[in-house]
């Protein structure tokens, strides 16, 4: 079993509380090197998704306004 490591974001176990130390966690999108817990990995992915969606929506809205 792998040594217990804590997530630098939430201090939770990596990869999660049920499988602590059994396998690698997620890589942080911030630096693509730091290992974080699964929950924080999902949260970072959702943040990127929402920000990307907002950017795409703003770009589309700007294009529509420019056409008018």
């Amino acid at each position: 079993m792998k040594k217990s490591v804590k997530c630098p974001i939430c201090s939770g176990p990596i990869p999660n509380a049920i499988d602590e130390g059994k396998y690698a966690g997620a890589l942080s999108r911030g630096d693509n090197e730091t290992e974080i817990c699964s929950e924080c990995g999902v949260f970072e992915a959702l943040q990127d998704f929402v920000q990307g969606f907002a950017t795409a929506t703003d770009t589309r809205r700007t294009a529509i306004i420019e056409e008018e």
Side-chain angles (χ1 to χ4, degrees):
M1 188 153 129
K2 193 176 169 185
K3 183 182 140 187
S4 178
V5 180
K6 299 294 179 190
C7 175
I9 297 172
C10 71
S11 299
I14 293 177
N16 56 48
I18 297 171
D19 299 316
E20 184 174 358
K22 288 186 179 176
Y23 53 89
L27 284 180
S28 173
R29 291 169 176 250
D31 63 7
N32 207 28
E33 293 179 3
T34 305
E35 188 177 19
I36 59 176
C37 72
S38 298
E39 188 173 336
C40 287
V42 169
F43 183 74
E44 284 189 358
L46 290 172
Q47 279 184 315
D48 282 356
F49 174 77
V50 170
Q51 287 173 350
F53 180 76
T55 300
T57 302
D58 289 345
T59 301
R60 183 168 181 241
R61 190 175 296 135
T62 301
I64 292 170
I65 291 170
E66 288 174 356
E67 286 178 7
E68 294 175 349

